[in-house]
Amino acid sequence: MTSFNIVLYGGFETLDAFGPAEVIGQLPQDYSLKFHSLNGGIVVSSQQVPVDTLPFAEMDQSGILLIPGGFGARKLVIDENYVEQLKLFSEKAPYVLTVCTGSALLAKTNLLNGMKATSNKMVFEWVCSNGTEVNWIKKARWVKDGKYYTAAGISAGIDMLLGFVSDMHGVETAQTIANYIEYIWNSDMDNDPFGDAVTD
Amino acid sequence: MTSFNIVLYGGFETLDAFGPAEVIGQLPQDYSLKFHSLNGGIVVSSQQVPVDTLPFAEMDQSGILLIPGGFGARKLVIDENYVEQLKLFSEKAPYVLTVCTGSALLAKTNLLNGMKATSNKMVFEWVCSNGTEVNWIKKARWVKDGKYYTAAGISAGIDMLLGFVSDMHGVETAQTIANYIEYIWNSDMDNDPFGDAVTD
């Protein structure tokens, strides 16, 4: 069974983490879902959800990594030690997924340099400033480049995770999950109704 | 500020609780979001999300109540003491919202008798069996009757909460939140693409 590690930090965006958790949690035979933070313990989201986490030191580094966004990311992009840890985990992970401004954190590791990626459309300029050598795509619900999956803002993470499941297990499995969670899946990664909000 | 109390229990469905939390969490000046379980402490969702909760005894009973669904609800609908507690909270709450099979728990209190409600479409027959005097609506994304809001399955909770915000604060506020979370809001409570799955 593959570990699916979701990185949490103070001020993460609730749905960035738990939309994907809902989707991956529908495949309990394939993925072991775990929540990690730097030191472990209770971590509180921007919307005041307190989550119990395991420390980074206990992470199964062979697992898939998901990095959510959130206001807390603004402090962490300038925390060199934190970014270095994310870089080590990301290098080892078979797949790295980000939602919203989680792509700014991943961009700071330089692992996205020369690659295509997307992010939240409301703070797109700020995200781009954290990775000037990334090929940022303004109009995309999510982007896949090599082992990196990056989603647009917040709820786009649900669409991307269904896309990830489709890539790994087939589109029928993804559609079955979408139906089960009664979710109207935007399955076209290029269909981004919010991309036009980017004016920079 | 109004308390917005989300009831959690072992085996709650992740997105049932955190989709709504994401929406309400965008109005921190209006609502204080809190998570409660019978005895407090760490409660784990069906998808293995461990959440730190306050005990029922510490609930601000003047607050709005949200009851998510999940496999854990199947044990609780036959727990008379638990249902009695939910009944007391629901009677005092200015609004009671349920997502998915959370409406089965609310139906067991008899407070929905003679009222319109909906629920998850994949287990609709089971839900109906928990409230034979409820006017269950098969094809609805969500239903409002008096102070009770009931949503269809899992992700429908996001649509309903945006509808709730629209009712309380106007449709522009709701649409602004939908845009911020880059969510393609199904704002028509009668538009239920999954209602046809109900065959009973």
Side-chain angles (χ1 to χ4, degrees):
Chain A
M1 188 184 287
T2 305
S3 293
F4 193 101
N5 301 309
I6 297 185
V7 169
L8 300 183
Y9 48 84
F12 76 90
E13 187 76 18
T14 303
L15 197 60
D16 286 18
F18 298 130
E22 175 70 37
V23 174
I24 287 298
Q26 300 304 326
L27 297 167
Q29 71 283 17
D30 295 305
Y31 300 102
S32 170
L33 194 53
K34 287 168 189 160
F35 297 88
H36 287 272
S37 68
L38 182 60
N39 299 313
I42 304 294
V43 167
V44 182
S45 79
S46 272
Q47 289 73 34
Q48 305 304 312
V49 182
V51 187
D52 196 22
T53 62
L54 299 164
F56 275 179
E58 293 178 22
M59 192 186 292
D60 168 14
Q61 297 183 26
S62 70
I64 294 164
L65 195 70
L66 184 137
I67 307 169
F71 277 106
R74 289 181 176 257
K75 269 200 297 193
L76 293 176
V77 292
I78 54 172
D79 180 336
E80 287 181 19
N81 289 330
Y82 192 87
V83 170
E84 189 58 33
Q85 293 241 37
L86 285 187
K87 184 174 184 179
L88 292 171
F89 296 149
S90 299
E91 285 174 328
K92 289 185 181 173
Y95 295 98
V96 182
L97 301 87
T98 69
V99 180
C100 194
T101 53
S103 60
L105 276 165
L106 182 59
K108 288 296 275 192
T109 68
N110 291 322
L111 292 171
L112 287 179
N113 286 359
M115 306 195 86
K116 290 182 294 182
T118 195
S119 189
N120 187 304
K121 302 305 154 53
M122 308 299 151
V123 292
F124 203 72
E125 195 174 2
W126 175 79
V127 171
C128 294
S129 74
N130 284 286
T132 54
E133 295 178 50
V134 179
N135 179 13
W136 294 106
I137 310 293
K138 282 185 186 176
K139 208 166 160 64
R141 190 67 174 161
W142 77 92
V143 167
K144 175 183 179 350
D145 195 346
K147 73 176 193 178
Y148 298 102
Y149 283 75
T150 54
I154 307 181
S155 71
I158 304 175
D159 292 325
M160 180 179 76
L161 262 285
L162 288 165
F164 178 76
V165 167
S166 179
D167 292 347
M168 297 294 126
H169 304 278
V171 68
E172 281 187 24
T173 300
Q175 192 59 60
T176 299
I177 292 174
N179 290 346
Y180 179 77
I181 67 173
E182 298 189 22
Y183 182 69
I184 304 161
W185 180 24
N186 176 3
S187 61
D188 178 0
M189 62 205 292
D190 296 323
N191 177 12
D192 177 18
F194 304 96
D196 292 330
V198 182
T199 53
D200 55 293
Chain B
M1 188 183 292
T2 305
S3 293
F4 193 101
N5 302 310
I6 298 186
V7 169
L8 300 183
Y9 48 83
F12 76 91
E13 188 76 19
T14 303
L15 197 59
D16 286 18
F18 298 130
E22 176 69 38
V23 174
I24 287 297
Q26 300 304 325
L27 297 166
Q29 70 284 17
D30 295 305
Y31 301 102
S32 170
L33 193 53
K34 286 167 189 161
F35 297 88
H36 286 273
S37 67
L38 181 60
N39 299 312
I42 303 295
V43 167
V44 182
S45 79
S46 271
Q47 290 72 36
Q48 304 304 312
V49 182
V51 187
D52 196 20
T53 62
L54 299 164
F56 275 179
E58 291 179 22
M59 191 186 293
D60 168 14
Q61 296 182 27
S62 70
I64 294 165
L65 195 69
L66 184 136
I67 308 170
F71 278 105
R74 289 181 175 256
K75 269 201 294 192
L76 293 175
V77 291
I78 53 172
D79 181 335
E80 287 181 20
N81 289 330
Y82 192 86
V83 170
E84 189 58 32
Q85 292 242 38
L86 286 188
K87 185 176 185 178
L88 292 172
F89 296 149
S90 299
E91 284 174 329
K92 290 185 181 172
Y95 294 98
V96 182
L97 302 86
T98 68
V99 179
C100 195
T101 53
S103 59
L105 277 164
L106 183 58
K108 288 295 275 191
T109 68
N110 292 321
L111 292 170
L112 287 179
N113 287 358
M115 308 197 85
K116 290 182 293 180
T118 196
S119 189
N120 187 305
K121 302 307 154 51
M122 307 300 150
V123 292
F124 202 71
E125 196 175 1
W126 174 80
V127 171
C128 293
S129 73
N130 285 287
T132 54
E133 295 179 48
V134 179
N135 180 12
W136 293 106
I137 310 293
K138 283 185 185 175
K139 207 166 160 65
R141 191 64 173 163
W142 77 92
V143 167
K144 175 183 178 351
D145 194 347
K147 73 177 194 179
Y148 298 102
Y149 284 75
T150 53
I154 306 178
S155 71
I158 304 174
D159 292 324
M160 180 179 77
L161 261 286
L162 288 164
F164 177 77
V165 168
S166 178
D167 292 346
M168 298 295 126
H169 305 278
V171 66
E172 281 187 25
T173 301
Q175 192 59 60
T176 298
I177 292 174
N179 290 345
Y180 179 77
I181 67 173
E182 298 189 23
Y183 182 69
I184 304 160
W185 180 24
N186 175 3
S187 61
D188 178 359
M189 61 204 293
D190 297 322
N191 177 12
D192 177 18
F194 303 97
D196 293 328
V198 181
T199 53
D200 55 294

